[in-house]
Amino acid sequence: MAQLKTPLAALLCLVLTVASLSRILHVQQIRSPEPAASQASFPRPLKLLENPTNSCVPQDSVYFLKVPKCASTTSFQIFVTYGIKHSLTFAIPPKPGLVPISPRILPPEYHGSPDGRYNMAVCHTQFNREGARQVVKESAKYVAIIREPASRFESVWYYANYERKFHTNLTNFIKATTYSKKQKIFLNTIASYFGVKDPKDRITEREMNVKARELQQSFDLVMITERFDESLVFLKHLMCWDTEDLAYVRAKVRQQEHRTILTEAEKDKLRRINRQDVFLYKFFRRIFEEKVKAFGKERMEREVKEIGEASARFIEDCGAELNGSFRTVKTWRVNNDSSICRMIRLNGVDIEKQLRNRQRIWVSSNLTYDLSTWKFT
């Protein structure tokens, strides 16, 4: 009888142990649920837009496609500010324009990087993927900004003085039934800067779609002018920068007398003659809106507000007032003599001139010059 009790006791102990383990596993499953579907299915292009408490490494290299009249100078100043604060190097063409980015366009007197690569290429250049890869660091992020094409064309008409170029006013230009070869050069500018414009404008939508998808693979972020602050939120997460790094002042704010209110018919005509730009704008706008939705409305509103507050502090610290003028736009005057406050007084061309001089000093010193000591004047 005693021999029978021993196996029974062992069996009872084993049953109790298994039951206890089952309860523990059940509790752990309750406390550690699977990630929500919305978290697991985050779109790939959003890179680094996970929970802001997650650790990430600040990025110090970027290629920025600076398309004219798309809030690109405001964006340019954000990149330059970060680069100056962190003693970074710039790839600067001899003059801004529609020239494909490559090492060949960088004058040696102010480009002396040992490996031929630089932290930032943020001036006006035409995008060329292979050329860009030879100019910026391998870790570089690729960013562009675009604007609704009819609005962009109306803006650039006055800033670039197209009336003098074409010997006609904007209203008559829009009414025209044909356009000269010279005039067509200034159409579809967004497509031109992306390096995908068909000069004869015979490209089909299917062909445009192929090119747009190739560009999507090349660029980490395409910002939208009409959604500028939201674009900066995505830029902040892409680059892993602090909110203060995205503080800005609006550059090239137009004076009221250099604006035209277009009718819907006039806007439609401008869109038709800039149809390649329209395709790219709609393509990337759609992607952008998907990103905003995935990011979350409340979170986006909170982070947009934070950038707005940082920008207000920046303006206050500089004692900045928008009461000067240059050509068709307003300019900033500042009371603070700091380097970055001085920069916002300057137009884009003068900023580039000073950056070239900065790098001339660096190159002439055999790269020993301490870039952190340089200041805007």
Side-chain angles (χ1 to χ4, degrees), residues 14-24:
L14 180 61
V15 170
L16 291 172
T17 301
V18 170
S20 177
L21 285 172
S22 297
R23 284 195 299 272
I24 291 170

Side-chain angles (χ1 to χ4, degrees), residues 8 22-23 45 50 63 88 134 167 186 237 264 298 321:
L8 284 173
S22 297
R23 284 195 299 272
E50 294 83 7
Y63 172 80
L88 304 182
Q134 296 174 52
H167 308 291
F186 297 91
H237 287 277
E264 287 304 313
E298 290 184 6
E321 294 182 356

Side-chain angles (χ1 to χ4, degrees), residues 175-215:
K175 287 179 179 177
T177 55
T178 59
Y179 296 95
S180 68
K181 186 175 180 180
K182 177 184 176 181
Q183 289 172 333
K184 288 179 180 179
I185 292 172
F186 297 91
L187 301 177
N188 292 299
T189 300
I190 294 173
S192 290
Y193 271 84
F194 272 106
V196 298
K197 177 180 174 179
D198 174 12
K200 296 181 178 180
D201 200 24
R202 295 174 182 170
I203 190 168
T204 65
E205 287 209 356
R206 179 178 292 181
E207 291 168 332
M208 279 298 300
N209 189 57
V210 170
K211 291 180 180 294
R213 291 191 178 279
E214 290 174 352
L215 291 171

Side-chain angles (χ1 to χ4, degrees), residues 129-159:
R129 183 161 63 178
E130 293 308 314
R133 285 177 175 174
Q134 296 174 52
V135 169
V136 291
K137 305 289 185 181
E138 289 185 19
S139 61
K141 301 299 181 183
Y142 288 74
V143 179
I145 187 165
I146 58 177
R147 178 179 179 180
E148 194 283 313
S151 173
R152 196 208 73 84
F153 193 89
E154 184 272 333
S155 178
V156 76
W157 179 275
Y158 291 99
Y159 186 78

Side-chain angles (χ1 to χ4, degrees), residues 242-248 304-317:
D242 294 332
T243 299
E244 299 296 327
D245 295 323
L246 282 302
Y248 70 94
V304 163
K305 181 181 178 184
E306 290 170 355
I307 290 175
E309 291 169 346
S311 298
R313 288 192 294 271
F314 179 36
I315 292 171
E316 184 178 359
D317 290 345

